[in-house]
Each structure stands twice: as C-alpha cells, then as structure tokens.
Amino acid sequence: MHKLNTIITASLITVLFNHGEGRAAEAISVNHTSDTVLFDGKCNDAEWQFATKLALPANTALYLMQNKDALFICAKGKLEDYTVIDLYIEDPQSGELYNLHASAQLSESILKADNWAHPVRWNNKDWGGFWVPFAGTEETEDGERTKFLKGSHREIQILRSKFKGDTWNMMISLSAIYQDGKYGANFSFPDKAVNTNRVTWAKFTF
C-alpha cells in the first residue's frame, strides 16, 4: 500500500508540473522513511525507492523523504550533469526566506529587501549535503583549470529543528544540467516559481 501511495503521489505531482502550474494545487505529502540515508551521491538505490518523486525535464528528478528528525532530498541528474541544487525554504516562524545551496560548496543565504544576502559558505547549521566532488585539474589555453565530477547526484539533509512545523513552503531548483548539446539548463519545482516570491512556491507536509 505504501508503494502504491508513492506511485499515485508521484503521478499527480508530475501532471501538475507538466501542465505548467506555478504552484502545486495541494500540499505535497513527503513519504516517511525508517532508514538512515547514506550520502553517497546516488539516489537510485533501494533506500530511495519509496521516496516522493518529482519529475523534471531533461531526465532529471527530485526525491524527498522524511522522518521525525530530518527532511532528505536527492536531486538525480544524468551522467553528463553536474546537478547543482538550490533549496528555498520559508521559515514558518519568522517568515524569512532561506536558500540552501549545494554545488562545489555548501552555502546558506537569507533574502534581505528582495535581494539574497552574500552566502555564508560551509556553515552547515542544522543541515548538510553531498556537494559536487573535486575531480582534479586540467590544462587549458587559459592555464590550469579545476575539474569537477559529472554524474553524481546532489543530496541534502535538513534537520526538522531548523524550521518548525509539519508543513514547509519550498521551491527547489536544479542547474548545471546538460541539454541540447550544452550546459546551462535550469529547472524548478514548482514550474515557473520565483525564488524571491514565496507565493509561487509549494507546500510540503510531513
């Protein structure tokens, strides 16, 4: 029954997304897990099979699970993708908007007067994640350049104590996605959501 509910939830969310809704019509229930999630850059293993799934374009997807302690999110990309994730959350108590970011670094920022404040890197207060791994260096015409690993999935864990309540208003964005022969594609859930406008986001319940 649990698996059936997961499939139904995923199908409903996909329909809403594909029809271009700026915001999901109803709160999205995040499936519960009794397992401890291993942050290994993979979200296609058995531990994520019962997660709530949000299908995005370019063969990318978001997986969400929760328990009494934390919310777990895994962004699944392709072998060509770097899969950078930005998670936007409205604090239910203060009303402040937060951006939790995972690329080659982890960082956190707060919206101030319609602009995102300079990100604080590696503070990881009550959250953590699997960032884009370093993959050495390479020589280019402009000199030595840092390389990063393609194909790993981006994982984030947020403690429930960081944001109170059983319903969080959120927007999730993916970038550094390969599409149509080049990098730069960006996708968000909900579709057409704006990271500075909480009204366009979606409600997630635990």
Side-chain angles (χ1 to χ4, degrees):
M1 185 64 179
H2 180 67
K3 185 174 183 180
L4 178 60
N5 288 338
T6 302
I7 295 171
I8 292 173
T9 301
S11 299
L12 174 60
I13 293 167
T14 302
V15 168
L16 289 170
F17 183 88
N18 289 337
H19 279 75
E21 295 293 336
R23 182 172 183 166
E26 297 180 0
I28 300 164
S29 178
V30 178
N31 289 338
H32 181 270
T33 179
S34 57
D35 298 327
T36 300
V37 176
L38 175 65
F39 276 13
D40 56 0
K42 301 175 182 178
C43 52
N44 53 358
D45 294 331
E47 63 184 352
W48 290 95
Q49 65 178 318
F50 296 123
T52 298
K53 179 181 178 182
L54 311 179
L56 273 67
N59 294 320
T60 62
L62 299 167
Y63 295 79
L64 297 91
M65 298 191 297
Q66 54 83 21
N67 60 25
K68 63 181 180 64
D69 298 315
L71 169 66
F72 308 97
I73 299 176
C74 190
K76 182 179 180 180
K78 305 182 296 299
L79 291 177
E80 302 90 345
D81 297 334
Y82 292 102
T83 316
V84 170
I85 186 171
D86 282 278
L87 175 62
Y88 301 93
I89 305 179
E90 178 182 3
D91 188 317
Q93 289 189 318
S94 68
E96 290 184 304
L97 304 187
Y98 283 75
N99 170 216
L100 309 183
H101 171 88
S103 56
Q105 303 182 76
L106 301 182
S107 66
E108 179 178 318
S109 183
I110 299 177
L111 188 69
K112 300 290 187 182
D114 296 327
N115 292 299
W116 289 101
H118 185 75
V120 178
R121 296 184 173 88
W122 302 114
N123 64 330
N124 296 6
K125 181 175 174 56
D126 295 331
W127 72 281
F130 185 92
W131 55 88
V132 181
F134 174 74
T137 60
E138 62 181 351
E139 291 295 331
T140 70
E141 294 180 354
D142 299 320
E144 191 175 74
R145 182 176 67 180
T146 301
K147 294 173 58 180
F148 295 97
L149 184 68
K150 301 176 185 177
S152 67
H153 301 158
R154 213 58 49 234
E155 293 169 292
I156 286 182
Q157 172 185 345
I158 310 104
L159 296 184
R160 298 275 295 272
S161 58
K162 186 173 180 67
F163 302 104
K164 304 298 183 183
D166 295 329
T167 301
W168 291 359
N169 188 31
M170 301 193 299
M171 168 186 169
I172 308 172
S173 292
L174 296 186
S175 57
I177 302 299
Y178 188 79
Q179 186 184 40
D180 298 330
K182 60 182 179 180
Y183 287 96
N186 298 272
F187 306 110
S188 297
F189 188 90
D191 185 23
K192 300 180 182 178
V194 179
N195 65 14
T196 57
N197 186 356
R198 72 194 75 199
V199 175
T200 64
W201 300 1
K203 299 287 187 182
F204 293 82
T205 61
F206 312 130

